Amino acid sequence: RVIENKNINALYQASSYLSVYSEIYSNNEKTTHNLTVTLSMRNTSSIDTVFILSANYFNTEGHLIKSYFDHPIYILPLETAELVVTEKGGTGGNFIFDWATENAKLEPIFEAVMISTSGQQGISFVTQGIKRTSE
């Protein structure tokens, strides 16, 4: 959902950081397992909309891999928007989300679920984003 006719500059703006793992080490530092990453952007408000201005994915070395939105999008009250991360960011991938709200007390939740299965074996875990302080 692309935002139209909304003055984003008039809104409270902030940024959040989320760690993601498209691969993890197994047995030693030379062997890794690939993981599928499902990323959730959750609006915790029952009345206010959250605006996602950008979602940028960086690899382990801190290099930008992909910017996910060409234009800001919005997430309605209690709605969740999801991304499936197909690019490999390594064992230390990162997302930076820039977002805006009309209510400065509102903070969206950013979570990633990483999963891998092979035969009867499986691994899964979750990471949660944190609000960034000003740089």
Side-chain angles (χ1 to χ4, degrees):
R1 297 182 181 148
V2 176
I3 299 169
E4 294 181 20
N5 301 323
K6 186 71 174 176
N7 184 1
I8 297 296
N9 293 331
L11 301 176
Y12 170 77
Q13 295 187 28
S15 180
S16 293
Y17 168 89
L18 175 69
S19 58
V20 297
Y21 302 83
S22 61
E23 59 184 314
I24 57 171
Y25 293 106
S26 176
N27 300 326
N28 59 52
E29 67 275 0
K30 295 180 183 177
T31 306
T32 60
H33 285 292
N34 291 331
L35 302 171
T36 299
V37 178
T38 303
L39 192 143
S40 293
M41 299 169 284
R42 298 174 179 266
N43 183 352
T44 61
S45 174
S46 59
I47 57 173
D48 291 316
T49 298
V50 169
F51 302 92
I52 306 297
L53 309 178
S54 65
N56 294 315
Y57 183 33
F58 300 86
N59 67 10
T60 302
E61 292 79 27
H63 301 277
L64 179 66
I65 295 174
K66 184 173 183 177
S67 293
Y68 276 81
F69 305 118
D70 293 331
H71 305 286
I73 65 165
Y74 62 91
I75 303 173
L76 296 173
L78 298 177
E79 184 178 28
T80 300
E82 295 179 327
L83 298 172
V84 176
V85 179
T86 57
E87 295 80 8
K88 297 297 179 203
T91 57
N94 311 282
F95 266 88
I96 300 293
F97 297 94
D98 292 319
W99 49 272
T101 62
E102 291 186 26
N103 180 350
K105 294 180 183 179
L106 173 61
E107 184 175 338
I109 293 175
F110 300 96
E111 293 179 316
V113 177
M114 279 69 57
I115 187 168
S116 177
T117 58
S118 178
Q120 294 181 358
Q121 296 288 335
I123 183 171
S124 63
F125 57 98
V126 177
T127 59
Q128 192 169 60
I130 58 169
K131 187 174 175 185
R132 297 176 70 203
T133 57
S134 298
E135 293 186 289

